[in-house]
Amino acid sequence: MWLEDTPADVRRLFDFYRECESIVALEDELLFAAAPEVSGWSAGHHLFHITLANELALRNVRMLVDGGSKWIVHEGGPSLLGLLSVHHGVIPRGVGQAPRAVTPPARPDPTVVRDTYHSNVAELERLTGDLDSIIAARGGIPHADLGVLSATRWLRFAGLHGQHHLRIMREVLEALPARSA
């Protein structure tokens, strides 16, 4: 049986945002520089992807806490991929493709990327002011690939997914000539 540790999952998500601060502060040219040998996306593309994905994850947590949304279901659970990802913390690299809703455009607007990052942090702070409500939330909201996730599992996924992309962002930045000089 899986024992959830929501406070630890929230800390992981806050740690992700704290660790991204130096990336968010990069000059646009470096933030969006390509390192195709590492990834098809720049660090800025990864950052925008994860903040878009987390914006949806946090919205789902909010809907589950508030209750009453048409998206909430009371049957089903995580898919096999969901169990691997959310339960075991395994997010395979380079296997999946980001859903269209969280795929950054070819040339993201740096201001929008940074604003989305900051709004994620603010929403996470608002949401986690009452962890008991998150833990007590009933039902789940389906993820396209991971199955039905509860509020606590959406938070866990957001942190794990964020850490996954943070590793890639670091690799991209380390591969850039300007960084290695």
Side-chain angles (χ1 to χ4, degrees):
M1 179 178 182
W2 173 24
L3 299 175
E4 293 184 1
D5 187 349
T6 303
D9 293 332
V10 168
R11 282 191 302 276
R12 177 187 296 115
L13 190 50
F14 273 115
D15 287 347
F16 160 73
Y17 287 111
R18 191 171 23 263
E19 292 176 45
C20 281
E21 287 175 6
S22 62
I23 296 171
V24 171
L26 291 172
E27 293 181 22
D28 295 352
E29 184 177 306
L30 191 55
L31 182 62
F32 293 102
E37 68 279 11
V38 176
S39 174
W41 286 351
S42 68
H45 284 89
H46 281 279
L47 180 64
F48 198 25
H49 161 71
I50 200 63
T51 58
L52 290 170
N54 283 359
E55 184 174 70
L56 294 174
L58 295 172
R59 181 207 61 198
N60 289 341
V61 172
R62 170 67 63 206
M63 286 192 296
L64 286 160
V65 167
D66 292 346
S69 169
K70 67 178 182 175
W71 299 108
I72 297 174
V73 298
H74 295 281
E75 296 174 1
S79 65
L80 179 57
L81 180 59
L83 287 173
L84 285 172
S85 298
V86 180
H87 178 63
H88 294 290
V90 176
I91 299 179
R93 183 163 169 179
V95 175
Q97 187 169 6
R100 188 173 54 145
V102 295
T103 298
R107 291 189 197 114
D109 180 329
T111 302
V112 173
V113 174
R114 290 181 177 97
D115 287 350
T116 306
Y117 166 85
H118 292 297
S119 69
N120 273 202
V121 173
E123 179 61 8
L124 181 61
E125 289 170 347
R126 281 189 295 274
L127 269 174
T128 58
D130 184 8
L131 279 183
D132 290 339
S133 292
I134 293 170
I135 294 167
R138 296 290 165 239
I141 295 178
H143 179 283
D145 297 318
L146 306 180
V148 177
L149 302 180
S150 65
T152 57
R153 288 180 177 169
W154 274 108
L155 279 176
R156 180 170 171 78
F157 172 69
L160 292 168
H161 189 215
Q163 291 294 334
H164 168 79
H165 282 278
L166 180 60
R167 285 188 291 278
I168 300 169
M169 285 186 265
R170 287 179 175 151
E171 288 178 31
V172 167
L173 291 169
E174 288 170 7
L176 297 175
R179 296 289 278 206
S180 58

